[in-house]
CSV table of all heavy atoms in Angstrom, one decimal:
chain,number,residue,atom,x,y,z
A,292,MET,N,89.3,82.8,97.2
A,292,MET,CA,88.1,83.1,98.0
A,292,MET,C,86.9,82.9,97.3
A,292,MET,O,86.7,83.2,96.1
A,292,MET,CB,88.3,84.7,98.3
A,292,MET,CG,87.1,85.3,99.1
A,292,MET,SD,87.3,84.9,100.9
A,292,MET,CE,88.8,85.8,101.3
A,293,ALA,N,85.9,82.2,97.9
A,293,ALA,CA,84.7,81.8,97.3
A,293,ALA,C,83.8,83.1,97.1
A,293,ALA,O,83.9,84.0,97.9
A,293,ALA,CB,84.0,80.9,98.3
A,294,LYS,N,83.1,83.0,96.1
A,294,LYS,CA,82.2,84.2,95.8
A,294,LYS,C,80.8,83.9,96.3
A,294,LYS,O,80.4,82.7,96.4
A,294,LYS,CB,82.1,84.5,94.3
A,294,LYS,CG,83.4,85.0,93.8
A,294,LYS,CD,83.4,85.6,92.4
A,294,LYS,CE,84.7,86.2,92.1
A,294,LYS,NZ,84.7,87.1,90.8
A,295,LYS,N,80.0,84.9,96.8
A,295,LYS,CA,78.8,84.8,97.2
A,295,LYS,C,77.9,85.6,96.4
A,295,LYS,O,78.2,86.5,95.8
A,295,LYS,CB,78.7,85.4,98.7
A,295,LYS,CG,79.6,84.5,99.7
A,295,LYS,CD,78.9,83.4,100.2
A,295,LYS,CE,79.7,82.6,101.3
A,295,LYS,NZ,79.4,83.1,102.6
A,296,LYS,N,76.5,85.2,96.4
A,296,LYS,CA,75.5,86.0,95.8
A,296,LYS,C,75.4,87.3,96.5
A,296,LYS,O,75.3,87.4,97.8
A,296,LYS,CB,74.1,85.4,95.8
A,296,LYS,CG,74.1,84.2,94.9
A,296,LYS,CD,72.7,83.6,94.8
A,296,LYS,CE,71.6,84.5,94.1
A,296,LYS,NZ,70.3,83.9,94.1
A,297,VAL,N,75.5,88.4,95.9
A,297,VAL,CA,75.4,89.7,96.5
A,297,VAL,C,74.3,90.5,95.8
A,297,VAL,O,73.9,90.3,94.6
A,297,VAL,CB,76.8,90.5,96.4
A,297,VAL,CG1,77.8,89.9,97.2
A,297,VAL,CG2,77.1,90.7,94.9
A,298,LYS,N,73.9,91.6,96.5
A,298,LYS,CA,73.0,92.5,95.9
A,298,LYS,C,73.3,93.9,96.3
A,298,LYS,O,73.9,94.2,97.3
A,298,LYS,CB,71.5,92.3,96.2
A,298,LYS,CG,71.2,92.4,97.6
A,298,LYS,CD,69.7,92.1,97.8
A,298,LYS,CE,69.4,92.2,99.4
A,298,LYS,NZ,68.0,91.8,99.7
A,299,ILE,N,73.0,94.9,95.5
A,299,ILE,CA,73.3,96.3,95.7
A,299,ILE,C,72.0,97.1,95.8
A,299,ILE,O,71.2,96.9,94.9
A,299,ILE,CB,74.3,96.9,94.6
A,299,ILE,CG1,75.6,96.2,94.7
A,299,ILE,CG2,74.4,98.4,94.9
A,299,ILE,CD1,76.6,96.7,93.6
A,300,ASP,N,71.8,97.8,96.8
A,300,ASP,CA,70.6,98.7,97.0
A,300,ASP,C,70.9,99.9,96.1
A,300,ASP,O,71.8,100.8,96.6
A,300,ASP,CB,70.5,99.1,98.4
A,300,ASP,CG,69.2,100.0,98.6
A,300,ASP,OD1,68.7,100.5,97.6
A,300,ASP,OD2,68.9,100.2,99.9
A,301,PRO,N,70.4,100.1,95.0
A,301,PRO,CA,70.8,101.2,94.1
A,301,PRO,C,70.3,102.6,94.7
A,301,PRO,O,70.9,103.6,94.4
A,301,PRO,CB,69.9,101.0,92.9
A,301,PRO,CG,68.8,100.0,93.2
A,301,PRO,CD,69.3,99.3,94.4
A,302,SER,N,69.4,102.6,95.6
A,302,SER,CA,69.0,103.8,96.3
A,302,SER,C,69.9,104.3,97.3
A,302,SER,O,70.0,105.5,97.7
A,302,SER,CB,67.6,103.8,96.8
A,302,SER,OG,67.6,102.8,97.9
A,303,ALA,N,70.8,103.4,97.8
A,303,ALA,CA,71.8,103.7,98.8
A,303,ALA,C,73.1,103.9,98.2
A,303,ALA,O,73.9,104.7,98.8
A,303,ALA,CB,71.9,102.5,99.8
A,304,CYS,N,73.4,103.4,97.0
A,304,CYS,CA,74.7,103.6,96.3
A,304,CYS,C,74.9,105.1,96.1
A,304,CYS,O,74.1,105.8,95.4
A,304,CYS,CB,74.7,102.8,95.0
A,304,CYS,SG,76.3,103.0,94.1
A,305,ILE,N,76.1,105.6,96.5
A,305,ILE,CA,76.5,107.0,96.2
A,305,ILE,C,77.5,107.1,95.1
A,305,ILE,O,78.1,108.2,94.9
A,305,ILE,CB,77.0,107.7,97.5
A,305,ILE,CG1,78.3,107.0,98.1
A,305,ILE,CG2,76.0,107.8,98.6
A,305,ILE,CD1,79.0,107.6,99.1
A,306,MET,N,77.7,106.0,94.4
A,306,MET,CA,78.5,106.0,93.2
A,306,MET,C,79.9,106.4,93.5
A,306,MET,O,80.6,107.1,92.7
A,306,MET,CB,78.0,106.8,92.1
A,306,MET,CG,76.6,106.1,91.6
A,306,MET,SD,75.8,107.1,90.4
A,306,MET,CE,74.4,107.8,91.4
A,307,CYS,N,80.5,106.0,94.7
A,307,CYS,CA,81.9,106.3,95.1
A,307,CYS,C,82.9,105.6,94.3
A,307,CYS,O,84.0,106.0,94.1
A,307,CYS,CB,82.1,106.1,96.6
A,307,CYS,SG,82.2,104.3,97.0
A,308,GLY,N,82.6,104.4,93.8
A,308,GLY,CA,83.5,103.7,93.0
A,308,GLY,C,84.4,102.7,93.7
A,308,GLY,O,85.3,102.1,93.0
A,309,ALA,N,84.2,102.6,95.0
A,309,ALA,CA,85.2,101.8,95.8
A,309,ALA,C,85.0,100.3,95.3
A,309,ALA,O,86.0,99.6,95.2
A,309,ALA,CB,84.8,101.9,97.3
A,310,CYS,N,83.7,99.8,95.2
A,310,CYS,CA,83.6,98.4,94.8
A,310,CYS,C,84.1,98.1,93.4
A,310,CYS,O,84.8,97.2,93.1
A,310,CYS,CB,82.1,98.0,94.9
A,310,CYS,SG,81.0,98.9,93.9
A,311,VAL,N,83.8,99.1,92.5
A,311,VAL,CA,84.3,99.0,91.0
A,311,VAL,C,85.7,98.9,91.0
A,311,VAL,O,86.4,98.2,90.3
A,311,VAL,CB,83.6,100.1,90.3
A,311,VAL,CG1,84.1,99.9,88.8
A,311,VAL,CG2,82.1,100.0,90.3
A,312,GLY,N,86.3,99.8,91.8
A,312,GLY,CA,87.8,100.0,91.8
A,312,GLY,C,88.6,98.8,92.4
A,312,GLY,O,89.7,98.4,91.9
A,313,SER,N,88.0,98.3,93.5
A,313,SER,CA,88.7,97.2,94.3
A,313,SER,C,88.4,95.8,93.6
A,313,SER,O,89.2,94.9,93.7
A,313,SER,CB,88.1,97.1,95.7
A,313,SER,OG,88.5,98.4,96.3
A,314,TYR,N,87.1,95.7,93.0
A,314,TYR,CA,86.8,94.4,92.5
A,314,TYR,C,86.1,94.6,91.0
A,314,TYR,O,85.0,94.5,90.8
A,314,TYR,CB,85.7,93.7,93.3
A,314,TYR,CG,86.2,93.4,94.7
A,314,TYR,CD1,86.0,94.4,95.8
A,314,TYR,CD2,86.9,92.3,95.0
A,314,TYR,CE1,86.4,94.1,97.0
A,314,TYR,CE2,87.3,92.0,96.3
A,314,TYR,CZ,87.2,92.9,97.3
A,314,TYR,OH,87.6,92.6,98.5
A,315,PRO,N,87.1,95.0,90.1
A,315,PRO,CA,86.5,95.3,88.8
A,315,PRO,C,85.9,94.1,88.0
A,315,PRO,O,85.1,94.3,87.1
A,315,PRO,CB,87.8,95.9,88.1
A,315,PRO,CG,88.9,95.3,88.9
A,315,PRO,CD,88.5,95.2,90.2
A,316,ASP,N,86.3,92.9,88.4
A,316,ASP,CA,85.7,91.8,87.8
A,316,ASP,C,84.3,91.6,88.3
A,316,ASP,O,83.5,90.8,87.7
A,316,ASP,CB,86.5,90.6,88.0
A,316,ASP,CG,87.9,90.6,87.3
A,316,ASP,OD1,88.0,91.3,86.3
A,316,ASP,OD2,88.8,89.8,87.7
A,317,ASP,N,84.0,92.0,89.4
A,317,ASP,CA,82.7,91.7,90.1
A,317,ASP,C,81.7,92.9,90.0
A,317,ASP,O,80.5,92.6,90.1
A,317,ASP,CB,82.9,91.4,91.6
A,317,ASP,CG,83.7,90.2,91.9
A,317,ASP,OD1,83.8,89.3,90.9
A,317,ASP,OD2,84.3,90.0,92.9
A,318,PHE,N,82.1,94.1,89.9
A,318,PHE,CA,81.2,95.2,89.9
A,318,PHE,C,81.4,96.2,88.7
A,318,PHE,O,82.5,96.3,88.3
A,318,PHE,CB,81.3,96.0,91.2
A,318,PHE,CG,81.0,95.2,92.5
A,318,PHE,CD1,82.0,94.7,93.2
A,318,PHE,CD2,79.7,95.0,92.8
A,318,PHE,CE1,81.7,94.0,94.4
A,318,PHE,CE2,79.4,94.2,93.9
A,318,PHE,CZ,80.4,93.7,94.7
A,319,ARG,N,80.5,96.8,88.4
A,319,ARG,CA,80.6,97.8,87.4
A,319,ARG,C,79.4,98.9,87.6
A,319,ARG,O,78.4,98.6,88.4
A,319,ARG,CB,80.4,97.3,85.9
A,319,ARG,CG,78.9,96.7,85.6
A,319,ARG,CD,78.8,95.9,84.4
A,319,ARG,NE,77.5,95.2,84.3
A,319,ARG,CZ,77.3,94.2,83.6
A,319,ARG,NH1,78.2,93.6,82.8
A,319,ARG,NH2,76.0,93.6,83.5
A,320,PHE,N,79.5,100.0,87.0
A,320,PHE,CA,78.5,101.0,87.1
A,320,PHE,C,77.4,100.7,86.0
A,320,PHE,O,77.7,100.4,84.9
A,320,PHE,CB,78.9,102.4,86.8
A,320,PHE,CG,79.7,103.0,88.0
A,320,PHE,CD1,81.1,103.3,88.0
A,320,PHE,CD2,79.1,103.2,89.2
A,320,PHE,CE1,81.8,103.7,89.1
A,320,PHE,CE2,79.8,103.6,90.3
A,320,PHE,CZ,81.2,103.8,90.3
A,321,SER,N,76.2,100.7,86.4
A,321,SER,CA,75.0,100.4,85.5
A,321,SER,C,74.9,101.6,84.6
A,321,SER,O,75.3,102.7,84.8
A,321,SER,CB,73.8,100.1,86.4
A,321,SER,OG,73.4,101.3,87.0
A,322,ASP,N,74.1,101.4,83.5
A,322,ASP,CA,73.7,102.5,82.7
A,322,ASP,C,73.0,103.6,83.5
A,322,ASP,O,73.1,104.8,83.1
A,322,ASP,CB,72.9,102.1,81.5
A,322,ASP,CG,73.7,101.2,80.5
A,322,ASP,OD1,75.0,101.2,80.6
A,322,ASP,OD2,73.1,100.4,79.8
A,323,ALA,N,72.2,103.1,84.4
A,323,ALA,CA,71.4,104.2,85.2
A,323,ALA,C,72.3,104.9,86.2
A,323,ALA,O,71.7,106.0,86.8
A,323,ALA,CB,70.3,103.4,85.9
A,324,GLY,N,73.5,104.4,86.5
A,324,GLY,CA,74.4,105.1,87.4
A,324,GLY,C,74.9,104.2,88.5
A,324,GLY,O,76.1,104.1,88.7
A,325,PRO,N,74.0,103.8,89.5
A,325,PRO,CA,74.5,103.0,90.6
A,325,PRO,C,75.3,101.8,90.2
A,325,PRO,O,75.1,101.3,89.1
A,325,PRO,CB,73.2,102.6,91.4
A,325,PRO,CG,72.2,103.6,91.0
A,325,PRO,CD,72.6,104.0,89.6
A,326,ALA,N,76.2,101.3,91.1
A,326,ALA,CA,76.9,100.0,90.8
A,326,ALA,C,76.0,98.9,90.8
A,326,ALA,O,74.9,98.8,91.3
A,326,ALA,CB,77.9,99.9,91.9
A,327,GLU,N,76.5,97.8,90.0
A,327,GLU,CA,75.8,96.6,90.0
A,327,GLU,C,76.7,95.4,89.9
A,327,GLU,O,77.9,95.7,89.6
A,327,GLU,CB,74.8,96.5,88.7
A,327,GLU,CG,75.6,96.5,87.4
A,327,GLU,CD,74.7,96.6,86.2
A,327,GLU,OE1,73.5,96.7,86.4
A,327,GLU,OE2,75.3,96.5,85.1
A,328,ALA,N,76.3,94.3,90.3
A,328,ALA,CA,77.2,93.1,90.3
A,328,ALA,C,77.1,92.6,89.0
A,328,ALA,O,76.1,92.2,88.4
A,328,ALA,CB,76.7,92.1,91.4
A,329,VAL,N,78.3,92.3,88.4
A,329,VAL,CA,78.4,91.9,86.9
A,329,VAL,C,77.7,90.6,86.8
A,329,VAL,O,76.9,90.4,85.8
A,329,VAL,CB,79.9,91.7,86.5
A,329,VAL,CG1,80.0,91.2,85.1
A,329,VAL,CG2,80.6,93.2,86.6
A,330,THR,N,78.0,89.6,87.6
A,330,THR,CA,77.4,88.2,87.5
A,330,THR,C,76.4,88.0,88.6
A,330,THR,O,75.7,87.0,88.5
A,330,THR,CB,78.5,87.1,87.5
A,330,THR,OG1,79.1,87.2,88.9
A,330,THR,CG2,79.6,87.4,86.5
A,331,GLY,N,76.2,88.9,89.6
A,331,GLY,CA,75.4,88.6,90.7
A,331,GLY,C,76.1,88.0,91.8
A,331,GLY,O,75.6,87.8,92.9
A,332,GLU,N,77.4,87.7,91.6
A,332,GLU,CA,78.2,87.1,92.6
A,332,GLU,C,79.5,88.0,92.8
A,332,GLU,O,79.9,88.7,91.9
A,332,GLU,CB,78.6,85.7,92.4
A,332,GLU,CG,77.5,84.7,92.3
A,332,GLU,CD,77.9,83.3,92.2
A,332,GLU,OE1,79.0,83.0,91.7
A,332,GLU,OE2,77.2,82.4,92.7
A,333,ALA,N,80.0,88.0,94.0
A,333,ALA,CA,81.3,88.8,94.3
A,333,ALA,C,82.0,88.2,95.5
A,333,ALA,O,81.3,87.4,96.3
A,333,ALA,CB,80.9,90.2,94.5
A,334,ASP,N,83.2,88.5,95.6
A,334,ASP,CA,84.0,88.2,96.8
A,334,ASP,C,83.2,88.8,98.0
A,334,ASP,O,82.8,89.9,98.0
A,334,ASP,CB,85.4,88.8,96.7
A,334,ASP,CG,86.3,88.5,97.9
A,334,ASP,OD1,85.9,88.5,99.0
A,334,ASP,OD2,87.5,88.1,97.5
A,335,GLU,N,83.0,88.0,99.1
A,335,GLU,CA,82.2,88.5,100.2
A,335,GLU,C,82.9,89.7,100.8
A,335,GLU,O,82.2,90.5,101.5
A,335,GLU,CB,81.8,87.4,101.1
A,335,GLU,CG,82.9,86.7,101.9
A,335,GLU,CD,82.3,85.7,102.8
A,335,GLU,OE1,81.3,85.9,103.5
A,335,GLU,OE2,83.0,84.6,102.8
A,336,ASP,N,84.1,89.8,100.8
A,336,ASP,CA,84.9,90.8,101.4
A,336,ASP,C,84.5,92.2,100.8
A,336,ASP,O,84.8,93.2,101.4
A,336,ASP,CB,86.4,90.7,101.3
A,336,ASP,CG,87.0,89.5,102.2
A,336,ASP,OD1,86.1,89.1,103.1
A,336,ASP,OD2,88.1,89.1,102.0
A,337,ALA,N,84.0,92.1,99.6
A,337,ALA,CA,83.5,93.4,98.9
A,337,ALA,C,82.5,94.2,99.7
A,337,ALA,O,82.4,95.4,99.6
A,337,ALA,CB,83.0,93.1,97.5
A,338,VAL,N,81.8,93.5,100.5
A,338,VAL,CA,80.7,94.2,101.3
A,338,VAL,C,81.3,95.2,102.2
A,338,VAL,O,80.7,96.3,102.3
A,338,VAL,CB,80.0,93.1,102.2
A,338,VAL,CG1,79.1,93.8,103.4
A,338,VAL,CG2,79.2,92.1,101.4
A,339,SER,N,82.6,95.0,102.6
A,339,SER,CA,83.2,96.0,103.6
A,339,SER,C,83.8,97.1,102.9
A,339,SER,O,84.2,98.1,103.6
A,339,SER,CB,84.2,95.2,104.4
A,339,SER,OG,85.3,94.8,103.6
A,340,VAL,N,83.9,97.2,101.6
A,340,VAL,CA,84.5,98.3,101.0
A,340,VAL,C,83.5,99.4,100.7
A,340,VAL,O,83.8,100.6,100.5
A,340,VAL,CB,85.2,98.0,99.6
A,340,VAL,CG1,86.2,96.9,99.8
A,340,VAL,CG2,84.2,97.7,98.5
A,341,CYS,N,82.2,99.1,100.8
A,341,CYS,CA,81.2,100.1,100.6
A,341,CYS,C,80.9,100.9,101.7
A,341,CYS,O,80.6,100.5,102.9
A,341,CYS,CB,79.9,99.4,100.1
A,341,CYS,SG,78.6,100.6,99.8
A,342,PRO,N,81.1,102.3,101.7
A,342,PRO,CA,81.1,103.2,102.8
A,342,PRO,C,79.6,103.4,103.3
A,342,PRO,O,79.5,103.9,104.3
A,342,PRO,CB,81.7,104.5,102.3
A,342,PRO,CG,81.4,104.4,100.9
A,342,PRO,CD,81.7,103.0,100.4
A,343,VAL,N,78.7,103.0,102.5
A,343,VAL,CA,77.3,103.2,103.0
A,343,VAL,C,76.5,102.0,103.1
A,343,VAL,O,75.2,102.0,103.3
A,343,VAL,CB,76.6,104.2,101.9
A,343,VAL,CG1,77.2,105.6,101.9
A,343,VAL,CG2,76.5,103.6,100.5
A,344,GLY,N,77.2,100.9,103.1
A,344,GLY,CA,76.5,99.6,103.3
A,344,GLY,C,75.5,99.2,102.2
A,344,GLY,O,74.5,98.4,102.6
A,345,ALA,N,75.7,99.6,101.0
A,345,ALA,CA,74.7,99.3,99.9
A,345,ALA,C,74.9,97.9,99.4
A,345,ALA,O,74.0,97.4,98.8
A,345,ALA,CB,74.9,100.3,98.8
A,346,ILE,N,76.1,97.2,99.7
A,346,ILE,CA,76.2,95.8,99.2
A,346,ILE,C,75.9,94.9,100.3
A,346,ILE,O,76.4,95.1,101.4
A,346,ILE,CB,77.7,95.7,98.8
A,346,ILE,CG1,78.2,96.7,97.7
A,346,ILE,CG2,78.0,94.2,98.2
A,346,ILE,CD1,79.7,96.7,97.4
A,347,SER,N,75.1,94.0,100.0
A,347,SER,CA,74.8,92.9,101.0
A,347,SER,C,75.0,91.6,100.3
A,347,SER,O,74.7,91.3,99.2
A,347,SER,CB,73.4,93.1,101.7
A,347,SER,OG,72.5,93.0,100.6
A,348,VAL,N,75.3,90.5,101.2
A,348,VAL,CA,75.5,89.2,100.7
A,348,VAL,C,74.0,88.6,101.0
A,348,VAL,O,73.4,88.7,102.0
A,348,VAL,CB,76.5,88.4,101.6
A,348,VAL,CG1,76.4,86.9,101.3
A,348,VAL,CG2,77.8,88.9,101.3
A,349,GLU,N,73.6,87.8,99.9
A,349,GLU,CA,72.3,87.1,100.0
A,349,GLU,C,72.7,85.6,100.5
A,349,GLU,O,73.4,84.9,99.8
A,349,GLU,CB,71.6,87.1,98.7
A,349,GLU,CG,71.2,88.4,98.3
A,349,GLU,CD,70.3,88.3,97.0
A,349,GLU,OE1,70.7,87.6,96.1
A,349,GLU,OE2,69.2,88.9,97.0
A,350,GLU,N,72.2,85.2,101.6
A,350,GLU,CA,72.5,83.9,102.2
A,350,GLU,C,71.6,82.9,101.5
A,350,GLU,O,70.6,83.1,101.0
A,350,GLU,CB,72.2,83.9,103.7
A,350,GLU,CG,73.1,84.8,104.5
A,350,GLU,CD,74.6,84.6,104.4
A,350,GLU,OE1,74.9,83.4,104.0
A,350,GLU,OE2,75.4,85.4,104.7
B,659,SF4,S1,81.1,100.9,97.2
B,659,SF4,FE1,79.0,101.1,97.6
B,659,SF4,S2,78.5,103.3,97.3
B,659,SF4,FE2,80.4,102.9,96.2
B,659,SF4,S3,79.9,102.5,94.2
B,659,SF4,FE3,80.0,100.5,95.2
B,659,SF4,S4,77.8,100.1,95.9
B,659,SF4,FE4,78.0,102.3,95.4
């Protein structure tokens, strides 16, 4: 699966851990708390694991 550039809205992230748990190579928790994309890219299906829509694909 091709990876896409993604961004996370840190103010929307509720730190549920779904993205980190499902895609540990792509996401981690930042020192400040909210999740962040490790490389700035992730499997585009990762967007759908976030219950609050904090992950978006940058076209
Ligand atoms: S799935 Fe969404 S709300 Fe949960 S940790 Fe990841 S970005 Fe935050």
Side-chain angles (χ1 to χ4, degrees):
M292 180 78 63
K294 293 194 175 187
K295 297 274 183 92
K296 286 184 72 175
V297 296
K298 63 180 179 183
I299 295 178
D300 178 352
S302 66
C304 176
I305 58 172
M306 294 173 254
C307 72
C310 61
V311 178
S313 297
Y314 299 93
D316 293 338
D317 294 338
F318 299 99
R319 65 187 171 206
F320 286 114
S321 66
D322 291 342
E327 63 185 7
V329 174
T330 65
E332 294 191 332
D334 185 313
E335 65 181 315
D336 290 347
V338 170
S339 63
V340 307
C341 182
V343 296
I346 305 172
S347 59
V348 172
E349 293 189 312
E350 299 298 343

